[in-house]
Amino acid sequence: MLNKLSIKGKMTLLSAIVIFVIFMIVNLIQLFLIQTLTSKQEEDSLRKRSEEIQVFLAEQAKYLETEGGNIVLSDQFLERIVENEEMVRILDQNGQEILNISNNFPELNNEINALERGFSRINIKEDTVLLYRSPLDMKSFHGTIIIGQNEEVFEGFLEKVLWTLILGTILSLALSIVSGRLLAGKLLSPLRVLTNTMKKIENENFAERVPVMETNDEFSQLSLIFNRMMDKVEASMLQQQKFVGDASHELRTPLAIIHGHLSLLKRWGKNDKEVLDKSLNISINETKRMIELTKELLWLSQLENHREKQDTIGSYQITDTVNEIVSNYLLIYPNLTIHNEIDAKHTIQLAIPEEQFKQLLIIIMDNAIKYSGENKEITITSNIMNDNYRIDIQDNGVGISKEDIPHIFDRFYRVDKARSRESGGSGLGLSIAKEMIEEYEGTILADSIVGEGTKISLIIPYIS
């Protein structure tokens, strides 16, 4: 049942229970202390009363009659000093009762004569009496005096105290419920605002934010964290929408081209060998471009899903890996010149797997070749800086303007859309390179001069 209650209901119920239990404990302690102190006060009062009677009897003993050397006590003498609901009983040294005076005091049997010295409490029907027994010495008389008082007044006082505490506890319970509800409502008001904001966001209103209070408490910190999280979510959603839009646009173009040529062939082109060959070649090229684009999109998907890094990075020689890539490109492009100035003395181990390192080099080399002129010339250099290994790849291409430099790592971004489309670029290569190198805590930088060329720098941490 408790699980079905709201947080406000739980806080109200729990605070009421806690306050009620605290009041009960405090009231029980108070009742015990009152009972103990009152009982002690009753005993002190009865002891004092006994002492007063003994002093009075001692002062009057010289005026009392004697029989055989013993003092003779008369009822009339003690009746003057016995108060209401009080009893005085005097026993001789043999334990025989010689006097018993009471005033509205319950009847006692003779068993009380055997009581030990000090205080005793005896229940008589519905009454409780307090008795005090002490020695009585007057002249030649040596006996015992027993004085008793009815505790009806004391019990009535305790009963009133008990009912007062019970009523106070009930009142405190009612007040704790009301105050707990008000306090819970006050404390949970920021949570209510957060809930309402989430409901608005649920309806795809991603621009909504939680107002941050200046209380600097947990709710304030929660609001700040939630707003920062929503900023990232909104940015991610916008980036995703842009990504989907750009990907759709990139895929739509080759599909439209392929569809157009297939329609041409269906109508009349299949009977014309020249048209047939041309349409098939164009369709094949566009299909290759779609395959490359799809492969790059899969790369990005893997990076965004934070694929786990390899537990152990295999050992490999940087110079051998770079030489392998350079040899492949020289074989593919006969008119390409590559100046490989990688320092063979650097035998350090990069903190990135060899396959990912190759992919980075291929992406940068592809871009350098695509955007260079007829006499393609690329220079590769390296150096060690602090705990990082830096590789610079410089081309002699058309260059990139300062306005475009900050955006070249954005997805689908092209400096010259028409030119890059002719060369088959998708605008994803550098974006993949950036996300890949950052996955291994590295950095990629770009520096370019229009008309002279572009330099891309890979800065990768090394292990040893």
Side-chain angles (χ1 to χ4, degrees), residues 350-379:
L350 296 182
I352 183 173
E354 185 177 15
E355 289 302 317
Q356 277 69 29
F357 180 56
K358 285 182 179 181
Q359 184 68 24
L360 284 173
L361 294 177
I362 291 171
I363 291 172
I364 306 305
M365 293 290 288
D366 279 344
N367 276 275
I369 293 170
K370 286 175 184 177
Y371 300 107
S372 296
E374 293 183 0
N375 298 320
K376 303 179 187 298
E377 187 175 345
I378 297 175
T379 302

PDB file of all heavy atoms in Angstrom, residues 350-379:
ATOM      1  N   LEU A 350      51.969   3.560 -30.483  1.00  0.00           N
ATOM      2  CA  LEU A 350      50.820   4.460 -30.426  1.00  0.00           C
ATOM      3  C   LEU A 350      49.674   3.827 -29.638  1.00  0.00           C
ATOM      4  O   LEU A 350      49.488   2.605 -29.653  1.00  0.00           O
ATOM      5  CB  LEU A 350      50.341   4.807 -31.833  1.00  0.00           C
ATOM      6  CG  LEU A 350      51.313   5.589 -32.714  1.00  0.00           C
ATOM      7  CD1 LEU A 350      50.664   5.900 -34.056  1.00  0.00           C
ATOM      8  CD2 LEU A 350      51.748   6.881 -32.034  1.00  0.00           C
ATOM      9  N   ALA A 351      48.900   4.685 -28.969  1.00  0.00           N
ATOM     10  CA  ALA A 351      47.752   4.217 -28.174  1.00  0.00           C
ATOM     11  C   ALA A 351      46.515   4.101 -29.043  1.00  0.00           C
ATOM     12  O   ALA A 351      45.417   4.539 -28.667  1.00  0.00           O
ATOM     13  CB  ALA A 351      47.508   5.171 -27.004  1.00  0.00           C
ATOM     14  N   ILE A 352      46.669   3.512 -30.232  1.00  0.00           N
ATOM     15  CA  ILE A 352      45.571   3.296 -31.151  1.00  0.00           C
ATOM     16  C   ILE A 352      45.874   2.042 -31.965  1.00  0.00           C
ATOM     17  O   ILE A 352      47.033   1.825 -32.359  1.00  0.00           O
ATOM     18  CB  ILE A 352      45.365   4.527 -32.082  1.00  0.00           C
ATOM     19  CG1 ILE A 352      44.156   4.330 -32.991  1.00  0.00           C
ATOM     20  CG2 ILE A 352      46.616   4.804 -32.903  1.00  0.00           C
ATOM     21  CD1 ILE A 352      43.812   5.582 -33.807  1.00  0.00           C
ATOM     22  N   PRO A 353      44.892   1.171 -32.185  1.00  0.00           N
ATOM     23  CA  PRO A 353      45.160  -0.047 -32.966  1.00  0.00           C
ATOM     24  C   PRO A 353      45.634   0.280 -34.387  1.00  0.00           C
ATOM     25  O   PRO A 353      45.321   1.341 -34.928  1.00  0.00           O
ATOM     26  CB  PRO A 353      43.799  -0.748 -32.986  1.00  0.00           C
ATOM     27  CG  PRO A 353      43.069  -0.207 -31.799  1.00  0.00           C
ATOM     28  CD  PRO A 353      43.528   1.203 -31.652  1.00  0.00           C
ATOM     29  N   GLU A 354      46.372  -0.639 -34.979  1.00  0.00           N
ATOM     30  CA  GLU A 354      46.956  -0.390 -36.298  1.00  0.00           C
ATOM     31  C   GLU A 354      45.877  -0.186 -37.366  1.00  0.00           C
ATOM     32  O   GLU A 354      46.035   0.671 -38.240  1.00  0.00           O
ATOM     33  CB  GLU A 354      47.868  -1.561 -36.693  1.00  0.00           C
ATOM     34  CG  GLU A 354      48.611  -1.320 -38.013  1.00  0.00           C
ATOM     35  CD  GLU A 354      49.555  -2.443 -38.362  1.00  0.00           C
ATOM     36  OE1 GLU A 354      49.434  -3.530 -37.747  1.00  0.00           O
ATOM     37  OE2 GLU A 354      50.422  -2.250 -39.231  1.00  0.00           O
ATOM     38  N   GLU A 355      44.782  -0.961 -37.313  1.00  0.00           N
ATOM     39  CA  GLU A 355      43.740  -0.823 -38.322  1.00  0.00           C
ATOM     40  C   GLU A 355      43.109   0.566 -38.296  1.00  0.00           C
ATOM     41  O   GLU A 355      42.854   1.170 -39.334  1.00  0.00           O
ATOM     42  CB  GLU A 355      42.663  -1.903 -38.121  1.00  0.00           C
ATOM     43  CG  GLU A 355      43.114  -3.297 -38.470  1.00  0.00           C
ATOM     44  CD  GLU A 355      43.583  -3.390 -39.920  1.00  0.00           C
ATOM     45  OE1 GLU A 355      42.904  -2.820 -40.801  1.00  0.00           O
ATOM     46  OE2 GLU A 355      44.631  -4.015 -40.163  1.00  0.00           O
ATOM     47  N   GLN A 356      42.870   1.085 -37.091  1.00  0.00           N
ATOM     48  CA  GLN A 356      42.316   2.440 -36.987  1.00  0.00           C
ATOM     49  C   GLN A 356      43.331   3.488 -37.454  1.00  0.00           C
ATOM     50  O   GLN A 356      42.969   4.487 -38.068  1.00  0.00           O
ATOM     51  CB  GLN A 356      41.888   2.719 -35.543  1.00  0.00           C
ATOM     52  CG  GLN A 356      40.514   2.190 -35.152  1.00  0.00           C
ATOM     53  CD  GLN A 356      40.464   0.691 -35.091  1.00  0.00           C
ATOM     54  OE1 GLN A 356      41.473   0.039 -34.809  1.00  0.00           O
ATOM     55  NE2 GLN A 356      39.307   0.117 -35.343  1.00  0.00           N
ATOM     56  N   PHE A 357      44.605   3.248 -37.160  1.00  0.00           N
ATOM     57  CA  PHE A 357      45.650   4.172 -37.609  1.00  0.00           C
ATOM     58  C   PHE A 357      45.720   4.190 -39.139  1.00  0.00           C
ATOM     59  O   PHE A 357      45.832   5.251 -39.761  1.00  0.00           O
ATOM     60  CB  PHE A 357      46.990   3.743 -37.000  1.00  0.00           C
ATOM     61  CG  PHE A 357      48.147   4.616 -37.384  1.00  0.00           C
ATOM     62  CD1 PHE A 357      48.125   5.985 -37.161  1.00  0.00           C
ATOM     63  CD2 PHE A 357      49.277   4.071 -37.987  1.00  0.00           C
ATOM     64  CE1 PHE A 357      49.195   6.794 -37.523  1.00  0.00           C
ATOM     65  CE2 PHE A 357      50.348   4.863 -38.353  1.00  0.00           C
ATOM     66  CZ  PHE A 357      50.303   6.236 -38.122  1.00  0.00           C
ATOM     67  N   LYS A 358      45.625   3.018 -39.758  1.00  0.00           N
ATOM     68  CA  LYS A 358      45.606   2.949 -41.224  1.00  0.00           C
ATOM     69  C   LYS A 358      44.404   3.693 -41.791  1.00  0.00           C
ATOM     70  O   LYS A 358      44.511   4.417 -42.783  1.00  0.00           O
ATOM     71  CB  LYS A 358      45.568   1.492 -41.676  1.00  0.00           C
ATOM     72  CG  LYS A 358      46.880   0.743 -41.535  1.00  0.00           C
ATOM     73  CD  LYS A 358      46.732  -0.671 -42.069  1.00  0.00           C
ATOM     74  CE  LYS A 358      48.035  -1.453 -41.964  1.00  0.00           C
ATOM     75  NZ  LYS A 358      47.897  -2.833 -42.500  1.00  0.00           N
ATOM     76  N   GLN A 359      43.233   3.496 -41.161  1.00  0.00           N
ATOM     77  CA  GLN A 359      42.016   4.149 -41.645  1.00  0.00           C
ATOM     78  C   GLN A 359      42.162   5.666 -41.602  1.00  0.00           C
ATOM     79  O   GLN A 359      41.738   6.372 -42.518  1.00  0.00           O
ATOM     80  CB  GLN A 359      40.816   3.708 -40.795  1.00  0.00           C
ATOM     81  CG  GLN A 359      39.473   4.236 -41.258  1.00  0.00           C
ATOM     82  CD  GLN A 359      39.042   3.650 -42.588  1.00  0.00           C
ATOM     83  OE1 GLN A 359      39.480   2.566 -42.956  1.00  0.00           O
ATOM     84  NE2 GLN A 359      38.208   4.385 -43.314  1.00  0.00           N
ATOM     85  N   LEU A 360      42.790   6.175 -40.540  1.00  0.00           N
ATOM     86  CA  LEU A 360      43.029   7.621 -40.433  1.00  0.00           C
ATOM     87  C   LEU A 360      43.912   8.099 -41.594  1.00  0.00           C
ATOM     88  O   LEU A 360      43.611   9.117 -42.246  1.00  0.00           O
ATOM     89  CB  LEU A 360      43.692   7.947 -39.093  1.00  0.00           C
ATOM     90  CG  LEU A 360      42.810   7.923 -37.846  1.00  0.00           C
ATOM     91  CD1 LEU A 360      43.677   8.087 -36.598  1.00  0.00           C
ATOM     92  CD2 LEU A 360      41.774   9.036 -37.902  1.00  0.00           C
ATOM     93  N   LEU A 361      44.997   7.394 -41.838  1.00  0.00           N
ATOM     94  CA  LEU A 361      45.912   7.788 -42.911  1.00  0.00           C
ATOM     95  C   LEU A 361      45.213   7.740 -44.268  1.00  0.00           C
ATOM     96  O   LEU A 361      45.401   8.638 -45.106  1.00  0.00           O
ATOM     97  CB  LEU A 361      47.135   6.870 -42.919  1.00  0.00           C
ATOM     98  CG  LEU A 361      48.070   6.965 -41.701  1.00  0.00           C
ATOM     99  CD1 LEU A 361      49.185   5.938 -41.819  1.00  0.00           C
ATOM    100  CD2 LEU A 361      48.651   8.356 -41.554  1.00  0.00           C
ATOM    101  N   ILE A 362      44.402   6.712 -44.504  1.00  0.00           N
ATOM    102  CA  ILE A 362      43.695   6.584 -45.787  1.00  0.00           C
ATOM    103  C   ILE A 362      42.728   7.742 -45.996  1.00  0.00           C
ATOM    104  O   ILE A 362      42.641   8.305 -47.096  1.00  0.00           O
ATOM    105  CB  ILE A 362      42.966   5.226 -45.839  1.00  0.00           C
ATOM    106  CG1 ILE A 362      43.986   4.084 -45.933  1.00  0.00           C
ATOM    107  CG2 ILE A 362      41.996   5.173 -47.011  1.00  0.00           C
ATOM    108  CD1 ILE A 362      43.375   2.706 -45.779  1.00  0.00           C
ATOM    109  N   ILE A 363      41.982   8.104 -44.930  1.00  0.00           N
ATOM    110  CA  ILE A 363      41.028   9.214 -45.051  1.00  0.00           C
ATOM    111  C   ILE A 363      41.755  10.505 -45.417  1.00  0.00           C
ATOM    112  O   ILE A 363      41.338  11.239 -46.320  1.00  0.00           O
ATOM    113  CB  ILE A 363      40.237   9.383 -43.740  1.00  0.00           C
ATOM    114  CG1 ILE A 363      39.288   8.198 -43.531  1.00  0.00           C
ATOM    115  CG2 ILE A 363      39.436  10.683 -43.754  1.00  0.00           C
ATOM    116  CD1 ILE A 363      38.599   8.189 -42.174  1.00  0.00           C
ATOM    117  N   ILE A 364      42.851  10.786 -44.723  1.00  0.00           N
ATOM    118  CA  ILE A 364      43.578  12.040 -44.974  1.00  0.00           C
ATOM    119  C   ILE A 364      44.233  12.006 -46.359  1.00  0.00           C
ATOM    120  O   ILE A 364      44.200  12.995 -47.108  1.00  0.00           O
ATOM    121  CB  ILE A 364      44.653  12.270 -43.884  1.00  0.00           C
ATOM    122  CG1 ILE A 364      44.018  12.207 -42.482  1.00  0.00           C
ATOM    123  CG2 ILE A 364      45.322  13.622 -44.092  1.00  0.00           C
ATOM    124  CD1 ILE A 364      42.863  13.139 -42.279  1.00  0.00           C
ATOM    125  N   MET A 365      44.819  10.879 -46.745  1.00  0.00           N
ATOM    126  CA  MET A 365      45.464  10.759 -48.060  1.00  0.00           C
ATOM    127  C   MET A 365      44.434  10.894 -49.180  1.00  0.00           C
ATOM    128  O   MET A 365      44.683  11.544 -50.205  1.00  0.00           O
ATOM    129  CB  MET A 365      46.190   9.420 -48.161  1.00  0.00           C
ATOM    130  CG  MET A 365      47.387   9.267 -47.221  1.00  0.00           C
ATOM    131  SD  MET A 365      48.786  10.303 -47.690  1.00  0.00           S
ATOM    132  CE  MET A 365      49.361   9.438 -49.152  1.00  0.00           C
ATOM    133  N   ASP A 366      43.259  10.279 -49.022  1.00  0.00           N
ATOM    134  CA  ASP A 366      42.197  10.382 -50.028  1.00  0.00           C
ATOM    135  C   ASP A 366      41.808  11.838 -50.258  1.00  0.00           C
ATOM    136  O   ASP A 366      41.660  12.286 -51.407  1.00  0.00           O
ATOM    137  CB  ASP A 366      40.968   9.582 -49.590  1.00  0.00           C
ATOM    138  CG  ASP A 366      41.125   8.105 -49.887  1.00  0.00           C
ATOM    139  OD1 ASP A 366      42.027   7.759 -50.680  1.00  0.00           O
ATOM    140  OD2 ASP A 366      40.356   7.290 -49.331  1.00  0.00           O
ATOM    141  N   ASN A 367      41.624  12.583 -49.150  1.00  0.00           N
ATOM    142  CA  ASN A 367      41.244  13.990 -49.284  1.00  0.00           C
ATOM    143  C   ASN A 367      42.353  14.796 -49.955  1.00  0.00           C
ATOM    144  O   ASN A 367      42.083  15.667 -50.785  1.00  0.00           O
ATOM    145  CB  ASN A 367      40.921  14.582 -47.906  1.00  0.00           C
ATOM    146  CG  ASN A 367      39.493  14.310 -47.479  1.00  0.00           C
ATOM    147  OD1 ASN A 367      38.567  15.038 -47.833  1.00  0.00           O
ATOM    148  ND2 ASN A 367      39.304  13.238 -46.730  1.00  0.00           N
ATOM    149  N   ALA A 368      43.597  14.509 -49.577  1.00  0.00           N
ATOM    150  CA  ALA A 368      44.721  15.239 -50.167  1.00  0.00           C
ATOM    151  C   ALA A 368      44.798  15.003 -51.670  1.00  0.00           C
ATOM    152  O   ALA A 368      45.059  15.928 -52.454  1.00  0.00           O
ATOM    153  CB  ALA A 368      46.022  14.815 -49.483  1.00  0.00           C
ATOM    154  N   ILE A 369      44.558  13.773 -52.107  1.00  0.00           N
ATOM    155  CA  ILE A 369      44.622  13.450 -53.539  1.00  0.00           C
ATOM    156  C   ILE A 369      43.437  14.050 -54.297  1.00  0.00           C
ATOM    157  O   ILE A 369      43.596  14.593 -55.398  1.00  0.00           O
ATOM    158  CB  ILE A 369      44.681  11.916 -53.713  1.00  0.00           C
ATOM    159  CG1 ILE A 369      46.014  11.383 -53.169  1.00  0.00           C
ATOM    160  CG2 ILE A 369      44.520  11.521 -55.176  1.00  0.00           C
ATOM    161  CD1 ILE A 369      46.074   9.876 -53.083  1.00  0.00           C
ATOM    162  N   LYS A 370      42.240  13.977 -53.714  1.00  0.00           N
ATOM    163  CA  LYS A 370      41.037  14.464 -54.399  1.00  0.00           C
ATOM    164  C   LYS A 370      41.112  15.954 -54.687  1.00  0.00           C
ATOM    165  O   LYS A 370      40.653  16.421 -55.728  1.00  0.00           O
ATOM    166  CB  LYS A 370      39.800  14.167 -53.544  1.00  0.00           C
ATOM    167  CG  LYS A 370      39.392  12.702 -53.535  1.00  0.00           C
ATOM    168  CD  LYS A 370      38.231  12.484 -52.569  1.00  0.00           C
ATOM    169  CE  LYS A 370      37.885  11.007 -52.472  1.00  0.00           C
ATOM    170  NZ  LYS A 370      36.816  10.752 -51.488  1.00  0.00           N
ATOM    171  N   TYR A 371      41.656  16.701 -53.757  1.00  0.00           N
ATOM    172  CA  TYR A 371      41.609  18.154 -53.890  1.00  0.00           C
ATOM    173  C   TYR A 371      42.946  18.755 -54.323  1.00  0.00           C
ATOM    174  O   TYR A 371      43.177  19.949 -54.166  1.00  0.00           O
ATOM    175  CB  TYR A 371      41.140  18.774 -52.572  1.00  0.00           C
ATOM    176  CG  TYR A 371      39.761  18.297 -52.189  1.00  0.00           C
ATOM    177  CD1 TYR A 371      39.588  17.394 -51.140  1.00  0.00           C
ATOM    178  CD2 TYR A 371      38.653  18.710 -52.914  1.00  0.00           C
ATOM    179  CE1 TYR A 371      38.336  16.936 -50.811  1.00  0.00           C
ATOM    180  CE2 TYR A 371      37.384  18.259 -52.587  1.00  0.00           C
ATOM    181  CZ  TYR A 371      37.229  17.367 -51.536  1.00  0.00           C
ATOM    182  OH  TYR A 371      35.979  16.919 -51.215  1.00  0.00           O
ATOM    183  N   SER A 372      43.846  17.925 -54.854  1.00  0.00           N
ATOM    184  CA  SER A 372      45.091  18.434 -55.423  1.00  0.00           C
ATOM    185  C   SER A 372      44.929  18.586 -56.939  1.00  0.00           C
ATOM    186  O   SER A 372      43.997  18.034 -57.542  1.00  0.00           O
ATOM    187  CB  SER A 372      46.251  17.478 -55.115  1.00  0.00           C
ATOM    188  OG  SER A 372      46.484  17.420 -53.725  1.00  0.00           O
ATOM    189  N   GLY A 373      45.875  19.305 -57.537  1.00  0.00           N
ATOM    190  CA  GLY A 373      45.811  19.512 -58.994  1.00  0.00           C
ATOM    191  C   GLY A 373      46.305  18.296 -59.754  1.00  0.00           C
ATOM    192  O   GLY A 373      46.369  17.174 -59.229  1.00  0.00           O
ATOM    193  N   GLU A 374      46.696  18.528 -61.049  1.00  0.00           N
ATOM    194  CA  GLU A 374      47.180  17.414 -61.868  1.00  0.00           C
ATOM    195  C   GLU A 374      48.505  16.877 -61.347  1.00  0.00           C
ATOM    196  O   GLU A 374      48.743  15.671 -61.314  1.00  0.00           O
ATOM    197  CB  GLU A 374      47.314  17.864 -63.317  1.00  0.00           C
ATOM    198  CG  GLU A 374      45.980  18.183 -63.975  1.00  0.00           C
ATOM    199  CD  GLU A 374      46.158  18.559 -65.430  1.00  0.00           C
ATOM    200  OE1 GLU A 374      47.313  18.562 -65.906  1.00  0.00           O
ATOM    201  OE2 GLU A 374      45.145  18.841 -66.088  1.00  0.00           O
ATOM    202  N   ASN A 375      49.386  17.767 -60.926  1.00  0.00           N
ATOM    203  CA  ASN A 375      50.685  17.344 -60.361  1.00  0.00           C
ATOM    204  C   ASN A 375      50.525  17.187 -58.847  1.00  0.00           C
ATOM    205  O   ASN A 375      50.830  18.089 -58.070  1.00  0.00           O
ATOM    206  CB  ASN A 375      51.780  18.357 -60.695  1.00  0.00           C
ATOM    207  CG  ASN A 375      51.995  18.468 -62.190  1.00  0.00           C
ATOM    208  OD1 ASN A 375      51.980  17.467 -62.905  1.00  0.00           O
ATOM    209  ND2 ASN A 375      52.212  19.696 -62.669  1.00  0.00           N
ATOM    210  N   LYS A 376      50.037  16.054 -58.457  1.00  0.00           N
ATOM    211  CA  LYS A 376      49.734  15.825 -57.037  1.00  0.00           C
ATOM    212  C   LYS A 376      51.020  15.542 -56.277  1.00  0.00           C
ATOM    213  O   LYS A 376      51.791  14.655 -56.651  1.00  0.00           O
ATOM    214  CB  LYS A 376      48.771  14.646 -56.895  1.00  0.00           C
ATOM    215  CG  LYS A 376      47.463  14.816 -57.679  1.00  0.00           C
ATOM    216  CD  LYS A 376      46.576  13.602 -57.514  1.00  0.00           C
ATOM    217  CE  LYS A 376      45.338  13.694 -58.423  1.00  0.00           C
ATOM    218  NZ  LYS A 376      44.513  14.844 -58.096  1.00  0.00           N
ATOM    219  N   GLU A 377      51.202  16.306 -55.207  1.00  0.00           N
ATOM    220  CA  GLU A 377      52.424  16.167 -54.401  1.00  0.00           C
ATOM    221  C   GLU A 377      52.049  16.229 -52.921  1.00  0.00           C
ATOM    222  O   GLU A 377      51.396  17.175 -52.468  1.00  0.00           O
ATOM    223  CB  GLU A 377      53.411  17.264 -54.746  1.00  0.00           C
ATOM    224  CG  GLU A 377      54.765  17.096 -54.067  1.00  0.00           C
ATOM    225  CD  GLU A 377      55.764  18.138 -54.533  1.00  0.00           C
ATOM    226  OE1 GLU A 377      55.500  18.788 -55.574  1.00  0.00           O
ATOM    227  OE2 GLU A 377      56.791  18.297 -53.869  1.00  0.00           O
ATOM    228  N   ILE A 378      52.456  15.207 -52.177  1.00  0.00           N
ATOM    229  CA  ILE A 378      52.111  15.110 -50.747  1.00  0.00           C
ATOM    230  C   ILE A 378      53.382  14.891 -49.940  1.00  0.00           C
ATOM    231  O   ILE A 378      54.264  14.115 -50.337  1.00  0.00           O
ATOM    232  CB  ILE A 378      51.123  13.943 -50.500  1.00  0.00           C
ATOM    233  CG1 ILE A 378      49.799  14.199 -51.233  1.00  0.00           C
ATOM    234  CG2 ILE A 378      50.869  13.744 -49.006  1.00  0.00           C
ATOM    235  CD1 ILE A 378      48.828  13.048 -51.143  1.00  0.00           C
ATOM    236  N   THR A 379      53.463  15.599 -48.809  1.00  0.00           N
ATOM    237  CA  THR A 379      54.616  15.478 -47.918  1.00  0.00           C
ATOM    238  C   THR A 379      54.144  14.987 -46.549  1.00  0.00           C
ATOM    239  O   THR A 379      53.213  15.551 -45.964  1.00  0.00           O
ATOM    240  CB  THR A 379      55.342  16.824 -47.760  1.00  0.00           C
ATOM    241  OG1 THR A 379      55.752  17.294 -49.049  1.00  0.00           O
ATOM    242  CG2 THR A 379      56.550  16.675 -46.863  1.00  0.00           C
TER     243      THR A 379
END
